[in-house]
């Protein structure tokens, strides 16, 4: 049996608001490797980390790939470090790249580290200590925060995964309006959905494949398989040159960041959870358009938020009522509020208690505490103060999932079309 030894390469924290992104850097590195007859094995991996991390970059993702560890490995390392040094925008405070080289087997210990990077926080010092303990070759630029995501990107197991095709602009077009034919995007979505998804937010008139930042990405298409990505790429029309494109294997849209919590007391700030709870009060809106309500279980309660950027999702949330049992998916942010990504209705409270209706057809009013009810129309009185149980019609449905719109969805959140 032939045993192939791989060199794993992880890169992170090269993103900059001025235009650089880690995926473009890796695409450029892969191109240079090919020019030197060094091929990567499989697809490069784009791994999204904890969406509530304190010092995260835009998408908070690390990228990794592997090559056969042969006589060209040293040249590959040289190319990687040269490209990171050349293309990273070091004048940006949040650009603190880290590069990891690793030539061993991916261990359970490394997998656990990767899940910790998705579920919670890892400091630069912790990452460096761990990387050295498992034999990583570590390269830090500036603060070197990127080593945190670099180790995670090479270590994370992917039982569930998606693919993303990223097309890149030529440098002279950075910061200008992207020349994408929106009708072709609509056509692509109709012909490839649900194999591709998150292409268009029809409710908001939002083309989701188009970034809104001045980064090198022209567009990004997400899919369950590579075949659909290639079909989609051939449908989308643009009127500007494409410098290159790359397909990434990724944990995006897998709910990998979500942990199952048995109860509210188990949940911690900055973690992401799935939890079944009961609605305590009817949702209400505050200044700014944000909607809040409280949920509870036998261990405590927590405030939940559907924020203004979630648009029409807030209207769906507004139909929740006290007593509804729901399963929430989301994370706990800076203000200790549970940020909802989606929810499933487990059991609706479809019972209301109302004043009885008089024989004359008029609904009665209270006659005073403990004095029953009276009718203002005919003067009839009832001694009992017991309200009458009514079954109400609800606009929500038991068992159904409801999610935020594409325009407000997190990278890791699994859309209903993948469930």
């Amino acid at each position: 049996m032939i045993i192939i030894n791989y060199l794993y390469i992880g890169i992170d924290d090269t993103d900059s608001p001025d235009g650089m992104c880690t995926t473009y850097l890796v695409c450029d590195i892969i191109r240079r490797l090919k020019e030197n007859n060094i091929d990567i094995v499989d697809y490069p991996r784009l791994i999204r980390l904890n969406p509530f991390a304190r010092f995260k970059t835009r998408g908070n993702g690390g990228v990794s790939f592997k090559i056969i560890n042969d006589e060209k490995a040293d040249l590959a390392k040289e190319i990687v470090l040269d490209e990171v040094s050349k293309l990273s925008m070091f004048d940006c405070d949040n650009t603190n790249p880290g590069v990891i080289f690793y030539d061993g087997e991916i261990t359970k210990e490394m997998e656990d580290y990767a899940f910790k990077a998705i579920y919670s926080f890892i400091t630069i010092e912790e990452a460096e200590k761990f990387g050295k303990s498992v034999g990583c070759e570590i390269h830090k630029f500036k603060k070197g925060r990127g080593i945190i995501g670099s180790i995670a990107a090479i270590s994370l197991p992917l039982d569930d995964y998606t693919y993303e095709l990223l097309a890149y602009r030529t440098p002279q077009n950075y910061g200008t309006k992207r020349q994408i034919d929106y009708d072709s995007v609509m056509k692509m979505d109709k012909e490839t959905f649900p194999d591709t998804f998150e292409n268009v937010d029809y409710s908001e008139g939002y083309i989701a494949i188009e970034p809104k930042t001045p980064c090198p990405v022209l567009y990004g298409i997400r899919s369950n398989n590579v075949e659909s990505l290639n079909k989609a790429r051939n449908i989308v029309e643009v009127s500007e040159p494409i410098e290159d494109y790359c397909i990434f294997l990724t944990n995006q849209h897998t709910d990998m960041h979500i942990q199952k919590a048995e109860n509210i007391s188990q949940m911690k700030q900055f973690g992401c959870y799935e939890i079944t709870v009961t609605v305590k009060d009817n949702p209400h809106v505050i200044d700014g358009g944000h909607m809040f309500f409280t949920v509870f279980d036998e261990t405590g309660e927590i405030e939940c938020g559907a924020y203004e950027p979630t648009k029409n999702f807030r209207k769906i949330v507004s139909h929740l009522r006290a007593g509804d049992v729901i399963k929430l998916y989301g994370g706990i942010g800076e203000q200790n509020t549970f940020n909802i990504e989606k929810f499933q209705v487990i059991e609706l409270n479809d019972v209301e208690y109302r004043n009885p209706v008089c024989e004359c057809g008029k609904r009665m009013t209270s006659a005073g505490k403990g004095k029953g009810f009276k009718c203002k129309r005919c003067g009839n009185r009832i001694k009992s103060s017991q309200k009458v149980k009514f079954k109400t019609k609800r606009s929500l449905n038991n068992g159904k999932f409801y999610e935020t719109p594409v325009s407000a969805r997190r990278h890791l959140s699994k859309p209903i079309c993948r469930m």
Side-chain angles (χ1 to χ4, degrees), residues 100-250:
I100 294 294
F101 300 117
Y102 178 75
D103 64 359
E105 290 292 317
I106 303 298
T107 65
K108 175 68 165 54
E109 186 182 18
M110 294 173 72
E111 292 178 351
D112 291 344
Y113 168 96
F115 281 114
K116 184 179 180 183
I118 293 174
Y119 292 152
S120 58
F121 298 114
I122 296 174
T123 65
I124 301 171
E125 293 72 27
E126 284 178 287
E128 187 164 17
K129 182 179 179 181
F130 177 81
K132 289 178 179 177
S133 74
V134 296
C136 292
E137 180 182 329
I138 298 172
H139 295 267
K140 294 164 64 181
F141 298 79
K142 290 172 61 182
K143 295 177 182 177
R145 186 171 289 113
I147 65 172
I148 301 169
S150 297
I151 300 173
I154 68 173
S155 304
L156 184 71
L158 289 177
D159 295 325
D160 185 17
Y161 52 85
T162 61
Y163 296 89
E164 182 169 22
L165 181 149
L166 293 171
Y168 297 101
R169 316 181 78 184
T170 54
Q172 62 265 31
N173 286 327
Y174 293 177
T176 64
K177 178 175 171 52
R178 291 169 170 85
Q179 302 302 311
I180 302 171
D181 183 278
Y182 290 168
D183 289 339
S184 73
V185 177
M186 301 288 193
K187 180 183 178 186
M188 178 272 291
D189 184 63
K190 287 179 170 61
E191 292 188 16
T192 62
F193 180 85
D195 287 329
T196 72
F197 48 88
E198 309 276 283
N199 300 313
V200 181
D201 186 337
Y202 291 99
S203 66
E204 299 295 329
Y206 176 85
I207 301 298
I209 73 169
E210 179 185 16
K212 298 299 180 279
T213 59
C215 66
V217 176
L218 177 60
Y219 64 77
I221 305 173
R222 297 169 183 187
S223 177
N224 292 311
N225 57 71
V226 172
E227 294 76 23
S228 296
L229 283 181
N230 288 323
K231 179 181 178 181
R233 182 170 66 92
N234 289 328
I235 297 173
V236 173
E237 298 175 6
V238 299
S239 52
E240 66 173 89
I242 294 177
E243 182 182 75
D244 205 349
Y245 76 92
C246 191
I247 293 176
F248 291 88
L249 178 70
T250 174

Side-chain angles (χ1 to χ4, degrees), residues 22 27 36 47 58 75 97 106 205 210 255 269:
T22 307
C27 184
N36 287 274
I47 303 301
R58 268 199 314 270
L75 174 59
I106 303 298
E210 179 185 16
D255 271 355
Q269 189 179 28

Side-chain angles (χ1 to χ4, degrees), residues 14 28 90 114 121 123 149 155 166 182 243 270 276 285 310 324 334 337 364 374-375 416:
T14 62
D28 192 73
F90 292 107
F121 298 114
T123 65
S155 304
L166 293 171
Y182 290 168
E243 182 182 75
F270 305 119
T276 301
V285 178
T310 63
D324 290 342
E334 190 113 14
T337 298
M364 305 180 83
K374 63 182 179 182
C375 178
I416 292 170

